[in-house]
Coordinates of all heavy atoms in Angstrom, one line a residue:
A1 N 0.4 -12.1 9.4 CA 0.7 -11.3 10.6 C 0.7 -12.2 11.8 O -0.3 -13.0 12.0 CB -0.4 -10.2 10.8
P2 N 1.7 -12.3 12.6 CA 1.7 -13.2 13.8 C 0.7 -12.8 14.8 O 0.2 -13.7 15.5 CB 3.2 -13.0 14.3 CG 3.6 -11.7 13.8 CD 3.0 -11.5 12.5
T3 N 0.4 -11.6 15.0 CA -0.7 -11.1 15.9 C -1.5 -10.0 15.2 O -1.0 -9.3 14.3 CB 0.0 -10.6 17.2 OG1 0.8 -9.5 16.9 CG2 0.7 -11.6 17.9
A4 N -2.7 -9.8 15.7 CA -3.5 -8.7 15.2 C -3.0 -7.4 15.7 O -2.6 -7.3 16.8 CB -5.0 -8.9 15.6
G5 N -3.0 -6.4 14.8 CA -2.5 -5.1 15.3 C -2.0 -4.2 14.1 O -2.3 -4.5 12.9
L6 N -1.4 -3.1 14.4 CA -0.9 -2.2 13.4 C 0.5 -2.6 12.9 O 1.4 -3.0 13.6 CB -0.7 -0.8 14.0 CG -2.1 -0.1 14.4 CD1 -1.8 1.2 15.1 CD2 -2.9 0.2 13.2
Y7 N 0.6 -2.5 11.5 CA 1.8 -2.8 10.8 C 2.2 -1.7 9.9 O 1.3 -1.0 9.4 CB 1.7 -4.2 10.1 CG 1.6 -5.4 10.9 CD1 0.4 -5.7 11.6 CD2 2.7 -6.2 11.1 CE1 0.3 -6.8 12.5 CE2 2.6 -7.3 11.9 CZ 1.4 -7.6 12.6 OH 1.4 -8.7 13.4
T8 N 3.5 -1.6 9.6 CA 3.9 -0.7 8.6 C 4.0 -1.4 7.3 O 4.6 -2.5 7.2 CB 5.3 -0.1 8.9 OG1 5.2 0.7 10.1 CG2 5.8 0.8 7.8
M9 N 3.4 -0.9 6.2 CA 3.4 -1.5 4.9 C 4.2 -0.6 4.0 O 3.9 0.6 3.8 CB 2.1 -1.8 4.3 CG 2.1 -2.4 2.9 SD 0.5 -3.0 2.3 CE -0.4 -1.4 2.1
K10 N 5.3 -1.1 3.4 CA 6.0 -0.3 2.4 C 5.7 -0.8 1.0 O 5.7 -2.0 0.7 CB 7.5 -0.5 2.6 CG 8.4 0.4 1.8 CD 9.9 0.0 2.0 CE 10.3 0.3 3.4 NZ 11.8 0.0 3.6
I11 N 5.2 0.1 0.2 CA 4.8 -0.2 -1.2 C 5.9 0.2 -2.2 O 6.3 1.4 -2.2 CB 3.5 0.5 -1.5 CG1 2.4 0.2 -0.5 CG2 3.0 0.2 -2.9 CD1 1.2 1.1 -0.4
Y12 N 6.3 -0.7 -3.0 CA 7.3 -0.4 -4.1 C 6.5 -0.3 -5.4 O 5.9 -1.2 -5.9 CB 8.3 -1.6 -4.2 CG 9.2 -1.7 -2.9 CD1 8.7 -2.3 -1.8 CD2 10.5 -1.3 -3.0 CE1 9.5 -2.4 -0.6 CE2 11.3 -1.5 -1.9 CZ 10.8 -2.0 -0.7 OH 11.6 -2.1 0.4
Y13 N 6.5 0.9 -5.9 CA 5.7 1.3 -7.1 C 6.5 2.0 -8.2 O 7.6 2.5 -7.9 CB 4.5 2.1 -6.6 CG 4.9 3.5 -6.3 CD1 4.8 4.6 -7.2 CD2 5.3 3.8 -5.0 CE1 5.2 5.9 -6.8 CE2 5.7 5.1 -4.6 CZ 5.6 6.1 -5.6 OH 6.0 7.4 -5.2
L14 N 5.9 2.0 -9.4 CA 6.5 2.7 -10.5 C 5.4 3.5 -11.2 O 4.3 3.0 -11.4 CB 7.1 1.8 -11.5 CG 8.1 0.7 -11.0 CD1 7.3 -0.6 -10.5 CD2 9.1 0.3 -12.0
S15 N 5.6 4.8 -11.5 CA 4.7 5.6 -12.3 C 5.4 6.7 -13.0 O 6.3 7.4 -12.5 CB 3.6 6.2 -11.3 OG 4.2 7.1 -10.4
G16 N 4.9 6.9 -14.2 CA 5.5 8.0 -15.0 C 4.6 9.3 -15.0 O 5.0 10.3 -15.6
D17 N 3.5 9.2 -14.3 CA 2.6 10.4 -14.2 C 1.8 10.2 -12.9 O 2.0 9.2 -12.2 CB 1.6 10.5 -15.4 CG 0.9 9.2 -15.7 OD1 0.7 8.4 -14.8 OD2 0.6 9.0 -16.9
E18 N 1.1 11.2 -12.5 CA 0.3 11.2 -11.3 C -0.8 10.2 -11.3 O -1.7 10.3 -12.2 CB -0.2 12.6 -10.9 CG 1.0 13.6 -10.6 CD 0.4 15.0 -10.2 OE1 -0.8 15.1 -10.2 OE2 1.2 15.8 -9.9
R19 N -0.8 9.3 -10.4 CA -1.8 8.2 -10.4 C -2.2 7.9 -8.9 O -1.4 7.8 -8.1 CB -1.4 7.0 -11.1 CG -1.1 7.1 -12.5 CD -0.7 5.8 -13.2 NE -0.6 6.0 -14.7 CZ -0.6 5.0 -15.5 NH1 -0.7 3.7 -15.1 NH2 -0.5 5.2 -16.8
D20 N -3.5 7.7 -8.7 CA -4.0 7.3 -7.4 C -4.2 5.8 -7.4 O -4.4 5.1 -8.4 CB -5.4 7.9 -7.1 CG -5.3 9.4 -7.0 OD1 -4.2 10.0 -6.7 OD2 -6.3 10.1 -7.4
V21 N -4.0 5.2 -6.2 CA -4.3 3.8 -6.0 C -5.1 3.6 -4.7 O -4.9 4.4 -3.7 CB -3.0 3.0 -6.0 CG1 -2.1 3.3 -4.8 CG2 -3.3 1.5 -5.9
Y22 N -6.0 2.7 -4.7 CA -6.8 2.4 -3.5 C -6.4 1.0 -3.0 O -6.2 0.1 -3.8 CB -8.3 2.4 -3.9 CG -8.9 3.8 -4.2 CD1 -8.7 4.3 -5.5 CD2 -9.5 4.5 -3.2 CE1 -9.2 5.6 -5.8 CE2 -10.0 5.8 -3.5 CZ -9.8 6.3 -4.8 OH -10.3 7.6 -5.1
I23 N -6.3 0.9 -1.7 CA -5.8 -0.3 -1.1 C -6.8 -0.8 -0.1 O -7.2 -0.1 0.9 CB -4.5 0.0 -0.3 CG1 -3.5 0.6 -1.3 CG2 -3.9 -1.3 0.3 CD1 -2.3 1.2 -0.7
S24 N -7.3 -2.0 -0.3 CA -8.3 -2.6 0.6 C -7.7 -3.7 1.4 O -7.1 -4.7 0.8 CB -9.5 -3.2 -0.3 OG -10.4 -3.9 0.5
I25 N -7.8 -3.7 2.7 CA -7.3 -4.7 3.6 C -8.4 -5.6 4.0 O -9.4 -5.2 4.6 CB -6.7 -4.1 4.9 CG1 -5.7 -2.9 4.5 CG2 -6.0 -5.1 5.7 CD1 -4.5 -3.3 3.7
N26 N -8.3 -6.9 3.6 CA -9.3 -7.9 4.0 C -10.7 -7.5 3.6 O -11.7 -7.7 4.3 CB -9.2 -8.2 5.5 CG -7.9 -8.8 5.9 OD1 -7.4 -9.7 5.3 ND2 -7.4 -8.4 7.1
G27 N -10.8 -6.9 2.4 CA -12.1 -6.6 1.9 C -12.7 -5.3 2.4 O -13.9 -5.0 2.1

């Protein structure tokens, strides 16, 4: 990130059934 702030993250994923995922930014 060139500067600190809010960014849009687009996630490209694949799933054949309903699944949750947890996303941790910098721990």
Side-chain angles (χ1 to χ4, degrees):
T3 59
L6 292 174
Y7 288 77
T8 298
M9 178 170 68
K10 188 185 295 183
I11 303 163
Y12 294 74
Y13 70 95
L14 309 88
S15 64
D17 49 32
E18 293 184 355
R19 297 186 173 195
D20 298 330
V21 63
Y22 291 81
I23 304 164
S24 171
I25 311 295
N26 294 319

